[in-house]
Amino acid sequence: MCAKATMEEFEALLNESFEIDTPDEGSVVKGRVIAIEAGQAIIDVGYKMEGRVDLKEFANPGEAPEIAVGDEVEVFLDRVENARGEAVISRDKARREEAWDRLEKAYADENRVEGAIFGRVKGGFTVDLGGAVAFLPGSQVDVRPVRDAGPLMGLKQPFQILKMDRRRGNIVVSRRAILEESRAEQRAEVISNLTEGQAVDGVVKNITEYGAFVDLGGVDGLLHVTDMAWRRVNHPSEILSIGETVKVQVIKINKDTHRISLGMKQLLDDPWDSVEAKFPLGSVHKGRVTNITDYGAFVELEAGVEGLVHVSEMSWTKKNVHPGKIVSTSQEVDVMVLEIDTAKRRVSLGLKQTMRNPWEVFAETHPEGTQVEGEVKNITEFGLFVGLENDIDGMVHLSDLSWDQRGEEAIQDYRKGDVVKAVVTEVDVEKERISLSIKALDDSFSEVTEGVKRGSIITVEVTAIEDGGIEVEYEGAKSFIRRSDLSRDRAEQRPERFGVGDKVDVRVTNVDQKTRKLGLSIKAREIAEEKEAVEQYGSSDSGASLGDILGAALKQDDDK
């Protein structure tokens, strides 16, 4: 009976053991640590199965493993039995499965998850999310590019899941999203405490070409370069440095975009308020050239006050020259205030007004008739331009080149660079013109006609006979007597009655020093002689004829 009962009990126990389901491979099971040896934990997973797991699988990145005999843990069952008759189990895989379940729920609920950066890969970093490994792109590490991620390694911190695919085992997370969210909350709080016009302290965080970003305690404001100082600032680095604490004024707050505009110069007195008093019209001041453009140069009169010297007000003589060839940046110059527009914050300055007009100086030092010498600067179809002192030019017109040649012929004798002498004939200061004459250097006509005046009787020699009159010469000076001036008697107004070499007495009707011409007339001499005879020997009412009067006069001359 006993043997039979024992067999029945054994059979019942065997059937019971078959009825108990063996856990499926690839599932997570619970186990208990029964021993720790050789860097491994021996875990009893039940069902008369034991397995081994490396202790490092129980440690978080950068931390020591926390495991002890008797601890209950979950492991992943890879295989029920290996070659040694042990179960193949893994704590990492169990944690991964657990983590995926947890992360999928957090992703669906848009909740943050905690993790630690533990490695660097191409394009970013690896993050341990409590058993699952995620990818953190470099652009998602911080709101600004991170040069050194060392301080972030192994540090537990929150992340936002951007994308996950369990089938492919891909998880992408962002640290930047968390920072931006917290910054947005912080910005909203800080902005709510700021008011336009308020003066606050801030720290310069970044400097660009157009301005600087200033941290106001959790929120950044833009300090534009034009609001840093009343004077011209070429680059913000001239007056600011990163990390510097500055006092700024809140100029504008955009509640929608949370953008804050800041200013430094608004905390200082506006120098334009006293410009008209300090720089009255017509006054001369010393300034510094700050910028040069195609249309002029900007000159700083004092910090925050700049004026423009237009290119037309830079030089009396250099008309078509770039301002950079007249002044240079940082050069100190004397300027005159020409105009002030406080509404537009503009000051018009003049550079040439601080120097005397060279044409006025020339007019004072070189009156008409003064002889000058200069280099031929340019030759045009209407004359020569001659360089004179103080960079001004005088012009010799074609008609003033020679007495004997036509201007078109005379100009052929000159070349650019020739040094010539001339006489000043006119100075027009207003039009900035100086007229010169080269032919005026020949003063022989004045010497010849010295003592000769209108009404004088001189003897000339006939040098040529023409249809319209005769050409005569007096002491080397040539003149022309027209046919109508050859005689008071129309019948005798014939050029052919004269011969080359004849000596003829003529009356001077005009002496023109400019044209070097003598106005001569035989007719005028005859009329003058007749008038004189009438006055001496008769009167117009005596009844005597002109022949009688002239005859008596001639007889009287013969008796003498």
Side-chain angles (χ1 to χ4, degrees):
M1 288 291 292
C2 289
K4 184 178 180 180
T6 303
M7 287 298 293
E8 289 176 353
E9 290 176 359
F10 176 76
E11 185 178 354
L13 288 172
L14 181 62
N15 291 334
E16 183 181 349
S17 66
F18 285 141
E19 289 175 0
I20 299 174
D21 291 335
T22 302
D24 296 330
E25 292 181 349
S27 63
V28 177
V29 297
K30 289 186 178 182
R32 185 178 298 278
V33 179
I34 58 176
I36 296 176
E37 58 184 35
Q40 292 181 322
I42 302 173
I43 302 174
D44 179 8
V45 294
Y47 317 105
K48 298 181 180 180
M49 291 187 297
E50 295 177 357
R52 296 173 179 269
V53 178
D54 289 340
L55 292 180
K56 65 181 181 181
E57 292 190 25
F58 293 94
N60 292 321
E63 298 179 3
E66 296 181 0
I67 188 74
V69 174
D71 288 351
E72 188 176 90
V73 296
E74 289 185 344
V75 293
F76 184 85
L77 181 61
D78 264 338
R79 291 202 308 276
V80 173
E81 187 176 355
N82 61 10
R84 294 188 296 178
E86 295 179 342
V88 179
I89 58 177
S90 170
R91 173 59 183 161
D92 280 346
K93 290 184 179 180
R95 292 175 69 240
R96 188 176 300 115
E97 290 297 317
E98 178 189 350
W100 272 94
D101 292 338
R102 173 173 48 81
L103 294 174
E104 282 183 334
K105 186 177 186 307
Y107 180 56
D109 297 339
E110 297 183 356
N111 291 331
R112 300 176 182 180
V113 294
E114 190 175 73
I117 302 173
F118 68 90
R120 182 187 293 273
V121 294
K122 183 178 180 180
F125 303 88
T126 51
V127 180
D128 179 16
L129 298 179
V133 177
F135 173 63
L136 173 63
S139 61
Q140 295 296 322
V141 177
D142 205 329
V143 291
R144 291 190 178 89
V146 176
R147 295 182 180 179
D148 181 15
L152 300 176
M153 289 291 187
L155 181 66
K156 283 191 176 182
Q157 52 193 314
F159 294 89
Q160 188 75 40
I161 299 176
L162 301 180
K163 183 172 64 174
M164 65 184 303
D165 186 338
R166 188 162 187 167
R167 185 174 61 84
R168 296 184 178 181
N170 293 335
I171 304 176
V172 180
V173 296
S174 171
R175 178 175 176 267
R176 175 178 177 173
I178 303 297
L179 296 176
E180 287 180 342
E181 186 177 339
S182 60
R183 280 170 60 89
E185 296 173 357
Q186 190 177 17
R187 284 172 66 92
E189 182 180 354
V190 173
I191 289 175
S192 65
N193 296 324
L194 293 176
T195 57
E196 293 182 0
Q198 180 182 356
V200 295
D201 290 329
V203 178
V204 179
K205 291 185 64 177
N206 191 25
I207 294 177
T208 68
E209 290 185 359
Y210 55 86
F213 288 94
V214 180
D215 183 2
L216 302 179
V219 59
D220 290 350
L222 174 62
L223 174 60
H224 198 271
V225 64
T226 57
D227 288 311
M228 290 182 179
W230 291 109
R231 65 178 180 85
R232 179 190 296 271
V233 179
N234 294 318
H235 195 277
S237 59
E238 293 178 8
I239 57 177
L240 294 177
S241 58
I242 295 177
E244 179 184 359
T245 300
V246 294
K247 185 172 285 295
V248 292
Q249 184 181 81
V250 179
I251 299 175
K252 187 176 181 181
I253 301 175
N254 189 319
K255 299 291 185 181
D256 297 328
T257 62
H258 288 181
R259 290 183 179 175
I260 304 173
S261 298
L262 305 173
M264 286 176 62
K265 71 180 184 182
Q266 287 76 4
L267 298 174
L268 305 173
D269 292 335
D270 187 351
W272 281 88
D273 293 340
S274 57
V275 164
E276 290 183 334
K278 285 185 177 179
F279 308 101
L281 299 182
S283 60
V284 176
H285 304 271
K286 191 175 291 292
R288 181 177 61 86
V289 178
T290 58
N291 192 27
I292 297 175
T293 67
D294 291 337
Y295 53 85
F298 288 92
V299 176
E300 183 182 61
L301 298 177
E302 68 171 11
V305 178
E306 281 186 349
L308 173 66
V309 181
H310 193 267
V311 63
S312 62
E313 307 294 347
M314 301 197 82
S315 173
W316 290 107
T317 56
K318 298 174 182 177
K319 302 295 184 182
N320 299 313
V321 177
H322 190 276
K325 294 186 177 180
I326 300 176
V327 295
S328 57
T329 305
S330 299
Q331 178 183 350
E332 285 197 348
V333 293
D334 288 328
V335 290
M336 178 181 287
V337 179
L338 305 180
E339 184 181 351
I340 296 177
D341 188 335
T342 52
K344 294 182 179 179
R345 304 172 76 89
R346 294 177 181 173
V347 177
S348 296
L349 304 173
L351 186 64
K352 70 181 184 182
Q353 286 79 359
T354 61
M355 299 170 278
R356 287 201 64 192
N357 185 334
W359 279 274
E360 289 182 355
V361 176
F362 188 89
E364 292 175 4
T365 56
H366 299 79
E368 292 183 13
T370 305
Q371 184 174 313
V372 294
E373 184 178 284
E375 180 182 327
V376 176
K377 297 291 186 181
N378 196 17
I379 300 176
T380 68
E381 59 183 10
F382 49 82
L384 306 176
F385 283 92
V386 179
L388 304 173
E389 58 189 47
N390 295 324
D391 292 327
I392 60 177
D393 293 342
M395 192 191 78
V396 183
H397 193 268
L398 290 178
S399 60
D400 287 309
L401 289 173
S402 173
W403 293 110
D404 304 322
Q405 292 178 288
R406 293 173 57 249
E408 292 78 3
E409 297 173 353
I411 201 171
Q412 301 300 323
D413 297 332
Y414 297 93
R415 297 289 180 270
K416 194 173 180 179
D418 289 351
V419 176
V420 298
K421 292 182 179 181
V423 173
V424 178
T425 57
E426 183 183 5
V427 179
D428 190 327
V429 175
E430 186 176 341
K431 294 182 178 180
E432 299 181 348
R433 292 178 184 173
I434 298 174
S435 298
L436 306 176
S437 174
I438 291 178
K439 71 180 185 181
L441 292 170
D442 182 2
D443 201 29
S444 58
F445 182 78
S446 298
E447 296 175 359
V448 167
T449 57
E450 186 178 359
V452 177
K453 58 184 180 178
R454 187 176 182 180
S456 300
I457 304 297
I458 59 174
T459 301
V460 298
E461 181 179 344
V462 179
T463 56
I465 309 297
E466 298 180 10
D467 290 341
I470 61 174
E471 184 182 85
V472 297
E473 183 179 296
Y474 174 72
E475 300 290 338
K478 293 186 177 182
S479 295
F480 188 79
I481 304 176
R482 296 174 299 175
R483 176 189 286 267
S484 59
D485 284 314
L486 292 177
S487 175
R488 65 185 299 274
D489 187 351
R490 186 179 294 274
E492 295 298 318
Q493 293 177 350
R494 293 177 293 107
E496 59 272 16
R497 72 187 182 90
F498 297 93
V500 175
D502 288 355
K503 304 288 186 180
V504 182
D505 289 340
V506 295
R507 182 184 175 90
V508 178
T509 57
N510 186 36
V511 180
D512 193 335
Q513 295 290 344
K514 288 188 176 181
T515 61
R516 291 169 55 101
K517 296 292 183 181
L518 283 174
L520 304 176
S521 174
I522 298 174
K523 175 182 177 180
R525 187 210 74 202
E526 292 175 346
I527 292 174
E529 289 177 346
E530 177 182 330
K531 183 180 179 181
E532 183 180 353
V534 170
E535 290 176 350
Q536 290 186 13
Y537 301 104
S539 63
S540 57
D541 58 356
S542 64
S545 67
L546 179 61
D548 296 336
I549 295 172
L550 290 177
L554 292 174
K555 184 176 185 300
Q556 185 175 0
D557 289 340
D558 290 341
D559 292 341
K560 291 179 181 179

